Amino acid sequence: MTETEKEYLTEPVIRVGVSTCLLGERVRFDGGHKHDRYLTGTLGQFFEWVSVCPEVEMGLSTPRESMRLVGDVEDPRLIAPKSGTDYTDRMKVWAQKRVEELASAGLHGFVFKKDSPSSGLFRVKVYNEHGMAQRNGTGMFPREVMNRFPLLPLEEEGRLNDLPLRENFIERVFAYYRWTRMLEEEPTPGGLVKFHTAHKLTLMAHSPKHYTEMGRLVADAGKRDWAELTAEYGAQLMDGLSVMGSRGKHVNVLQHLMGYLKNDLSSEDKQELLGLIEDYRQGLVPLVVPLTLLKHHLNRYPVPEWVDQQVYLHPYPKELMLRNHV
Ligand code: SF4
């Protein structure tokens, strides 16, 4: 394990919220669970889970009657159709209190259970007065989480089976963790410059436009109100990283990195690396292939310090093997 990778495992920990039933706890309305082994097995090595079950924590028993969202998509009611009980107000009061508790837990992301009227994040069914459903709602609790923590990376367990979405979510969690650490440990213009410099190539692989706009904010550090400036920078950072990377943008970054080795590599080494970058561009090999060779050469030859410090080279622990799939 490299020093950079060890750093991920030191305090303070990466703390991620999770719907309790995904951890294997029998808290569902029917007395069951929805254990997700990728979360507990793989991600659990790197994240400390903070579990939340809205329905049980607001005082309901297990098993219990099932619920659904009803009415206005933007402001639905939470109803148990069998008994007709309306749990909306009770859930809202509980959720507002719970997100305040979570603020002191210092979360770096949240994984929600899909399809649940209480916990689902995307495309949750909302029923109209005729009992017809449209899949365009958000569960009651994620709605509060989004309002309280607008920058927090959020996902659903089902979407994490999509490998590019998985890679993107995990990259955002680690980036948000580094961002909050910078704000806690080095909240100065110098700290911001260092953070921005280290994320240059990461941002280039997602959204060069965001990188340029964020550079303007960094240039203003020291002249503008710090809280306002970092709030804007943080929003741009998380927005920029939400833009999915593409093969074309990764190829640009790889070629840019290769440029620092142009006087060191033999023509055979250059041809080999260019060949792998081209294979990646054509979709014949995953990103990890040209990147591994490039990192090997970057370790062999002297390159500017800022190149070595690029988060792009180590965005998350290699054990997660995320670049084997993008
Ligand atoms: S989906 Fe949410 S409310 Fe339902 S059991 Fe899981 S954590 Fe609890």
Side-chain angles (χ1 to χ4, degrees), residues 19-22 27-29 52-56 64 113 116 118-119:
S19 299
T20 306
C21 55
L22 296 175
V27 288
R28 277 173 51 87
F29 72 97
V52 181
C53 176
E55 294 176 14
V56 166
R64 57 187 169 276
K113 168 74 187 69
S116 158
S118 303
S119 298

Side-chain angles (χ1 to χ4, degrees), residues 84-307:
T85 311
D86 185 335
Y87 288 102
T88 314
D89 296 338
R90 190 168 164 186
M91 174 63 88
K92 279 188 178 170
V93 169
W94 169 82
Q96 281 161 9
K97 192 164 151 273
R98 189 69 168 105
V99 291
E100 290 314 317
E101 286 168 15
L102 291 173
S104 46
L107 295 184
H108 302 104
F110 210 117
V111 181
F112 292 103
K113 168 74 187 69
K114 69 176 177 143
D115 296 335
S116 158
S118 303
S119 298
L121 181 61
F122 302 115
R123 303 184 69 242
V124 179
K125 282 183 187 166
V126 182
Y127 290 80
N128 64 18
E129 66 272 24
H130 308 297
M132 304 290 287
Q134 281 199 327
R135 276 193 164 274
N136 53 1
T138 301
M140 303 291 282
F141 180 57
R143 191 179 287 274
E144 290 297 333
V145 172
M146 283 193 283
N147 288 339
R148 182 64 179 78
F149 311 110
L151 304 190
L152 195 68
L154 310 176
E155 245 322 338
E156 289 185 336
E157 96 289 0
R159 282 167 44 104
L160 290 180
N161 292 323
D162 177 310
L163 298 177
L165 289 180
R166 174 189 291 184
E167 194 271 345
N168 182 262
F169 173 68
I170 293 169
E171 185 177 30
R172 284 185 290 132
V173 169
F174 276 92
Y176 189 62
Y177 165 77
R178 287 189 298 273
W179 173 242
T180 53
R181 274 188 78 174
M182 190 285 285
L183 290 178
E184 282 160 20
E185 293 170 9
E186 204 178 356
T188 61
L192 183 61
V193 169
K194 220 190 283 173
F195 181 92
H196 186 65
T197 306
H199 289 80
K200 173 178 174 167
L201 297 182
T202 301
L203 285 158
M204 297 294 285
H206 286 273
S207 172
K209 178 174 151 278
H210 280 81
Y211 176 71
T212 307
E213 282 166 20
M214 290 158 72
R216 285 195 201 109
L217 291 173
V218 174
D220 278 349
K223 296 181 219 153
R224 282 184 54 189
D225 176 74
W226 176 253
E228 196 184 278
L229 181 103
T230 50
E232 258 180 64
Y233 186 95
Q236 288 275 356
L237 171 70
M238 300 318 295
D239 194 47
L241 294 179
S242 301
V243 178
M244 297 296 281
S246 66
R247 283 184 187 271
K249 283 184 270 187
H250 280 294
V251 165
N252 282 345
V253 170
L254 295 170
Q255 287 171 340
H256 185 82
L257 280 168
M258 195 179 161
Y260 288 94
L261 298 163
K262 66 173 185 278
N263 297 325
D264 300 305
L265 292 182
S266 67
S267 57
E268 292 80 26
D269 284 344
K270 274 184 199 157
Q271 283 316 310
E272 185 186 21
L273 188 50
L274 283 171
L276 289 183
I277 293 175
E278 180 56 21
D279 285 351
Y280 168 68
R281 195 183 64 75
Q282 290 186 27
L284 302 175
V285 296
L287 180 57
V288 68
V289 174
L291 197 53
T292 302
L293 184 58
L294 189 52
K295 286 202 290 197
H296 165 75
H297 290 313
L298 289 170
N299 285 334
R300 281 173 65 206
Y301 299 108
V303 289
E305 206 180 336
W306 78 267
V307 173

